[in-house]
Amino acid sequence: MSHTLTHLKQLESEAIYIFREVAAQFERPAILFSGGKDSIVMVHLARKAFWPGKVPFPLIHIDTGHNFPEAIEYRDWMVKEFDLDLIVGSVQGSIDKGTAVEERGVNPSRNGLQAITLLETLEEYKVDAAFGGGRRDEEKARAKERFFSHRDEFGQWNPKNQRPELWSLYNGHYNEEEHFRIFPISNWTEMDVWQYIALEKIALPSIYFAHKRNIVERNGILLAESPWNTLLEGEKYEERLIRYRTLGDMTCTGAVSSDADDLTGIIQEVASSKVTERGNRSDDKRSEAAMEERKLQGYF
């Protein structure tokens, strides 16, 4: 009998080790949950890490109010299906109390405001370790993160102040008011995630599979019809067969033209794609360092 692990099982084992290490070192961990495929895989890994017990920490969803309805439906289904605890932080709540200011313009985005609500929620619930689904292959700023990523008393990240992680030893010591972001699937690629979802038969929101939707093409990005997108002069919505590779707000997440309506088709499509996973996110195109600027302020 062979005891050689596949690369997916090695990645799974590493992630489960991280989950258990955090449970041992920290008092109030939580999983940051967006409804996207990466955070869904994280919940699956957490369930495996503590099976047959219940996942011993809550999910935190930062609700911008501009979500895809499929993501919210999936979140509520999953919480009920797996008996999970859920905390919802509201960006609208931050706007109402004056700690966040709504953007103005044709298509105001609440994407950047999430960092404010996230930090307020982490402080309110005294979270000392927040699991995130960031992966090193997604974006250059995320490539600088380590598994245990320190945040200062203001929730800010300093990429030059990362602790060494030699021999799988992780330093979770923090001072009062500080916390850590934890990235169990940091070593995974987009392809690893899709192959693992297929291997484990993990349910996903329908938005990831090809479906017809009204979209408008703007600057090469296919934006879905929504109450928060305003058409510019000469623009009109048209029905297209599309799906999503990454999931954020309806105001900033672009779709891809696709007929991949099952996991086999998606894996083949990802393998042949010459565009990066986040190449259809308008929030990443605001500047060359858009992601790092948001992360420095406390973003996911």
Side-chain angles (χ1 to χ4, degrees):
M1 177 183 293
S2 171
H3 294 283
T4 302
L5 293 178
T6 65
H7 82 284
L8 290 178
K9 285 299 179 182
Q10 289 185 42
L11 290 170
E12 177 192 71
S13 177
E14 179 182 67
I16 287 175
Y17 174 77
I18 297 293
F19 271 106
R20 291 172 176 167
E21 186 70 10
V22 169
Q25 290 198 38
F26 294 86
E27 296 182 9
R28 293 172 298 278
I31 298 176
L32 304 181
F33 184 78
S34 68
K37 64 184 185 308
D38 299 321
S39 54
I40 291 171
V41 165
M42 290 235 299
V43 172
H44 183 81
L45 291 165
R47 292 178 59 230
K48 278 199 162 189
F50 304 104
W51 180 265
K54 179 180 176 178
V55 175
F57 25 76
L59 310 187
I60 292 180
H61 178 230
I62 302 303
D63 184 353
T64 64
H66 292 174
N67 308 283
F68 285 90
E70 294 95 329
I72 300 299
E73 291 170 7
Y74 181 92
R75 179 199 71 184
D76 294 342
W77 167 82
M78 191 183 67
V79 166
K80 183 178 180 181
E81 180 73 11
F82 302 128
D83 188 24
L84 302 168
D85 296 323
L86 173 67
I87 294 170
V88 178
S90 168
V91 171
Q92 184 62 55
S94 298
I95 294 172
D96 291 343
K97 65 183 179 183
T99 54
V101 179
E102 188 96 75
E103 278 191 355
R104 297 184 177 181
V106 176
N107 290 118
S109 172
R110 291 182 170 182
N111 193 53
L113 304 185
Q114 291 182 90
I116 297 170
T117 307
L118 171 61
L119 294 179
E120 290 174 348
T121 305
L122 295 180
E123 181 178 3
E124 179 181 355
Y125 290 91
K126 306 299 181 187
V127 173
D128 54 2
F131 291 99
R135 309 188 322 267
R136 292 192 175 109
D137 78 320
E138 277 185 275
E139 204 277 338
K140 56 191 176 186
R142 287 186 166 164
K144 299 178 183 178
E145 296 276 18
R146 291 192 172 153
F147 288 110
F148 279 34
S149 189
H150 175 263
R151 296 297 190 268
D152 67 16
E153 65 271 31
F154 304 107
Q156 296 175 328
W157 175 56
N158 181 354
K160 298 178 182 177
N161 185 26
Q162 298 285 298
R163 297 173 179 177
E165 296 182 335
L166 305 176
W167 305 293
S168 299
L169 295 175
Y170 303 106
N171 181 356
H173 178 76
Y174 61 92
N175 296 315
E176 190 173 358
E177 306 297 332
E178 297 176 346
H179 73 274
F180 274 79
R181 303 290 173 87
I182 311 293
F183 300 101
I185 62 171
S186 192
N187 281 339
W188 297 45
T189 67
E190 181 189 13
M191 180 61 81
D192 294 329
V193 170
W194 283 116
Q195 290 178 331
Y196 186 73
I197 288 169
L199 177 69
E200 296 289 306
K201 299 180 173 56
I202 301 172
L204 290 178
S206 59
I207 196 169
Y208 279 116
F209 301 98
H211 59 286
K212 290 183 178 178
R213 200 176 201 114
N214 286 337
I215 59 93
V216 60
E217 183 168 356
R218 179 179 301 161
N219 300 323
I221 296 178
L222 307 182
L223 292 174
E225 182 176 5
S226 81
W228 308 286
N229 284 334
T230 303
L231 291 178
L232 303 178
E233 185 176 355
E235 290 182 338
K236 64 178 181 180
Y237 288 114
E238 59 177 322
E239 187 178 80
R240 297 264 289 269
L241 186 61
I242 56 98
R243 72 173 195 87
Y244 290 85
R245 288 177 68 182
T246 179
L247 190 58
D249 273 359
M250 296 187 79
T251 58
C252 64
T253 307
V256 294
S257 296
S258 171
D259 61 359
D261 58 3
D262 60 19
L263 289 173
T264 300
I266 290 173
I267 289 171
Q268 291 174 347
E269 185 177 273
V270 170
S272 61
S273 177
K274 296 181 179 179
V275 179
T276 63
E277 178 181 1
R278 294 184 68 95
N280 292 301
R281 293 285 293 262
S282 64
D283 48 336
D284 289 354
K285 296 181 182 296
R286 291 194 170 193
S287 76
E288 182 66 22
M291 172 66 86
E292 181 152 337
E293 289 167 357
R294 295 201 303 273
K295 286 177 69 67
L296 290 172
Q297 297 168 4
Y299 190 73
F300 301 87

